[in-house]
Amino acid sequence: MPTLSVVIPTHRRPQYLARAIWSALDAAPDGDTEIIVVPNGNDLSWKSVEAEFGADARVHWHPVAQGHANVARNHGLRRATSEYVRFLDDDDYLYPKACQRQLLALIQSGGEVSSGDVDIASPRGRSNRTLVQPATSDFASSALTPSRMTHLAGHVYRRSALGDTRWEEDRMVRQDTAWLIQLSTMKELAWQRHPEVVGAWFQHGGERISRGRDPGPTVLRETAELIMWAHDRMASEGRLTTERVRAATDGLWSSLQKGLQYDFAYWRDIARVAESYSPGHRPPSAIHRLPVVRRLSPLAVETLLIPIRVVYRPVRRFLDKHGIRRV
């Protein structure tokens, strides 16, 4: 039985797939890994990469007919035999030495989940910026806060700790956010915040589900619903802490800041929910810390900011496209 299973869904990206597999092969000490590649959908482009790894018994291929990354992840998870598992997209890659240290630290501590940082890598191979894990020691708070770092490459799990949790097979966007919130809500998990960058989120010009932009009204509402569901479930189980309530409140305000322009009535109600969670708590944006602004209703401030946010959106896209750091 290998120490680590790495599940890699793939669909029409053979030009990146080999790099992902190579990076995963050494993600455990002594290469003690199994790589479960799950081609999904109407696509045979992976066959050329399969031939490249044909002599390596650690790489296994399990295609599925349905073209959906979450279907593929669940399919791969069912076939994992290792004590530890991590997920990797076919266009991203791991930093093997850092992943080895992350896994060893998790094993030695007896923990159940470890989360490291992830670089945002440009096509030229340089890091534009790094997605850093929230500064907390609580797994549930890290998932609920708007500063959550849910990217797949950052996390490694003890497989038995996942229980019956599975990837939502009807979710098209923010799949990693939904996965982590569900997992953190399921039970109390022994979590480690690993102090290294362990992988790269590769920014390329090809087809991708997420580009780090405003995901649109439907996804923002789904995120708010997830946060409220998690809050209510933990409340019913007596697992809410002050930190978790504050993280859920910030998470709702953050979604509102992007979604208010689409549906004022819905997000007005979300503002009321956030206020009921943490009365008097201000949204996480720096503007709400200004002395004059603090005297105003957060919802009124966010309403006034709608035109500014709309105008700034193309500027943000330009900065992201050219790898320019945003302040």
Side-chain angles (χ1 to χ4, degrees):
M1 181 184 297
T3 302
L4 176 69
S5 299
V6 183
V7 177
I8 306 177
T10 187
H11 181 75
R12 294 183 179 174
R13 287 198 284 228
Q15 69 273 33
Y16 305 123
L17 178 58
R19 179 181 61 185
I21 295 173
W22 281 117
S23 75
L25 281 169
D26 290 323
D30 301 320
D32 193 16
T33 58
E34 66 172 2
I35 312 302
I36 303 173
V37 186
V38 187
N40 58 99
N42 184 19
D43 169 41
L44 294 177
S45 63
W46 56 274
K47 287 285 188 178
S48 60
V49 185
E50 181 188 31
E52 179 178 343
F53 292 92
D56 197 325
R58 296 173 296 171
V59 183
H60 310 279
W61 302 81
H62 297 281
V64 292
Q66 187 173 349
H68 195 293
N70 278 359
V71 172
R73 291 176 186 124
N74 287 334
H75 188 70
L77 182 57
R78 285 191 293 269
R79 281 152 181 76
T81 64
S82 307
E83 184 176 359
Y84 297 90
V85 63
R86 68 189 312 151
F87 301 92
L88 180 65
D89 284 344
D90 57 359
D91 53 347
D92 300 326
Y93 51 95
L94 301 174
Y95 298 160
K97 293 298 183 183
C99 288
Q100 290 178 26
R101 291 188 290 270
Q102 180 187 24
L103 180 58
L104 281 173
L106 184 62
I107 294 171
Q108 291 166 359
S109 70
E112 296 173 305
V113 184
S114 176
S115 304
D117 302 337
V118 173
D119 280 338
I120 298 181
S122 73
R124 298 177 182 177
R126 70 169 185 259
S127 172
N128 292 336
R129 62 189 177 99
T130 299
L131 302 175
V132 179
Q133 291 294 334
T136 177
S137 59
D138 180 62
F139 185 49
S141 297
S142 75
L144 294 173
T145 181
S147 60
R148 67 183 74 89
M149 206 301 287
T150 60
H151 194 275
L152 303 184
H155 309 276
V156 60
Y157 312 90
R158 185 188 293 173
R159 187 162 55 93
S160 60
L162 300 179
D164 295 329
T165 305
R166 293 294 180 267
W167 295 82
E168 292 185 12
E169 297 186 357
D170 59 349
R171 183 175 292 275
M172 299 304 298
V173 186
R174 287 199 175 178
Q175 299 163 340
D176 50 356
T177 298
W179 162 261
L180 220 61
I181 290 177
Q182 289 182 80
L183 191 61
S184 67
T185 307
M186 177 185 68
K187 66 174 185 177
E188 297 299 320
L189 290 168
W191 181 57
Q192 292 181 350
R193 182 177 178 272
H194 189 71
E196 286 187 275
V197 180
V198 297
W201 178 17
F202 182 56
Q203 305 291 290
H204 57 82
E207 181 180 353
R208 290 186 12 234
I209 291 177
S210 174
R211 295 180 183 274
R213 299 175 180 170
D214 181 350
T218 301
V219 175
L220 290 167
R221 288 182 64 156
E222 289 176 351
T223 302
E225 299 291 338
L226 267 172
I227 292 170
M228 291 187 291
W229 168 79
H231 174 280
D232 293 348
R233 176 168 175 174
M234 286 191 286
S236 69
E237 297 172 352
R239 295 172 49 215
L240 270 184
T241 64
T242 300
E243 182 182 13
R244 291 175 181 180
V245 172
R246 186 61 57 84
T249 305
D250 284 344
L252 290 180
W253 277 118
S254 179
S255 294
L256 177 148
Q257 289 170 331
K258 301 180 183 72
L260 191 62
Q261 61 182 297
Y262 298 117
D263 187 342
F264 182 86
Y266 174 83
W267 292 103
R268 178 193 59 204
D269 292 340
I270 294 298
R272 291 169 179 164
V273 173
E275 178 66 21
S276 72
Y277 286 176
S278 300
H281 180 63
R282 309 295 298 188
S285 299
I287 192 171
H288 289 277
R289 305 292 181 267
L290 297 176
V292 176
V293 177
R294 287 182 63 87
R295 300 175 185 175
L296 304 175
S297 158
L299 181 60
V301 173
E302 289 300 330
T303 302
L304 292 172
L305 287 173
I306 288 175
I308 297 175
R309 296 190 189 281
V310 171
V311 170
Y312 179 65
R313 191 183 305 148
V315 176
R316 183 180 62 188
R317 291 177 180 174
F318 175 84
L319 296 176
D320 289 344
K321 178 180 179 180
H322 294 278
I324 302 173
R325 294 178 183 270
R326 289 187 272 124
V327 178

